[in-house]
Amino acid sequence: MLTVRRATLDDQEAMVAVYTVAWREGFKHMFSAATFARDDFDADRRAECTDAVLCDDTDTYVAELSGHIVGWGVATRHDATSMAVNDLWINPTNWGCGAAAAIVSRMEDDARSTGTARMVGWVPEDSPRARCFVEKIGWKPTGSIELLAVYDHEANRVFEYQRDLGLFDMTRGMPRPVGVALPPPVA
């Protein structure tokens, strides 16, 4: 069963492993083979992952499938009324299992419960799979474009997407992705 929960420091190694393999697979068409063969490639991914999840004002979530972390995501306050999805990484062997949708759904629920009106995030132009995903879950392009300059000699464009969250109606349940376990009711 797929579950989403807040990440703990004990999840760090599994998150780094997911990040590294997802980065390699997800960006293999965006960067040259030389980029992935660099001696510092894995160390760079470890540092990026650690920097993403171990900072103030971040909400970090992990998705577990059968007790194994298959993905993770980070949301931060973007401005007074919005949150930003800064990272969303799923192990490629688990793409399509619903982990990404479950993580984003949890982020949206938590943001909505604090009065946040919208979520924003950036998606690489050269990642049709990611762009299709965010559009499928109801996010819309804002028209803003920036450069993803992880490696300056291989910069790629990223597009901003957003989702208006609306108000959280406590009298109705929030739709959940199929197969996502909810926490047990509090007695």
Side-chain angles (χ1 to χ4, degrees):
M1 170 138 314
L2 180 65
T3 58
V4 174
R5 62 173 173 79
R6 295 279 185 150
T8 69
L9 290 176
D10 293 338
D11 299 324
Q12 185 69 26
E13 287 306 312
M15 293 169 65
V16 168
V18 166
Y19 181 62
T20 302
V21 70
W23 211 99
R24 283 184 184 279
E25 183 63 25
F27 289 163
K28 69 182 178 185
H29 61 285
M30 292 171 52
F31 296 99
S32 69
T35 294
F36 298 98
R38 293 170 54 124
D39 290 339
D40 59 353
F41 179 85
D42 287 340
D44 285 353
R45 301 296 77 76
R46 173 175 291 285
E48 288 171 2
C49 182
T50 302
D51 289 348
V53 301
L54 297 179
C55 45
D56 293 336
D57 301 324
T58 57
D59 294 327
T60 305
Y61 303 88
V62 294
E64 290 181 309
L65 186 61
S66 302
H68 299 283
I69 293 175
V70 298
W72 59 273
V74 173
T76 59
R77 177 67 47 200
H78 183 254
D79 59 36
T81 61
S82 65
M83 298 277 299
V85 175
N86 294 343
D87 283 287
L88 183 60
W89 299 95
I90 308 300
N91 187 318
T93 61
N94 300 102
W95 286 353
C97 78
I103 292 170
V104 172
S105 179
R106 173 70 187 269
M107 288 177 176
E108 290 175 352
D109 286 354
D110 286 359
R112 201 178 280 111
S113 72
T114 64
T116 300
R118 79 182 177 116
M119 299 284 292
V120 297
W122 294 89
V123 180
E125 175 181 31
D126 293 335
S127 184
R129 181 182 194 97
R131 292 177 64 200
C132 181
F133 165 74
V134 296
E135 290 172 6
K136 182 178 177 182
I137 63 169
W139 288 50
K140 305 289 183 213
T142 66
S144 293
I145 301 170
E146 291 188 3
L147 284 181
L148 172 68
V150 176
Y151 296 103
D152 292 335
H153 62 284
E154 296 183 272
N156 292 274
R157 294 185 333 161
V158 289
F159 297 151
E160 185 182 48
Y161 281 78
Q162 74 174 11
R163 178 176 167 96
D164 292 325
L165 298 179
L167 297 176
F168 184 76
D169 183 351
M170 295 297 287
T171 64
R172 297 182 3 211
M174 292 300 297
R176 300 269 189 258
V178 176
V180 175
L182 299 175
V186 177

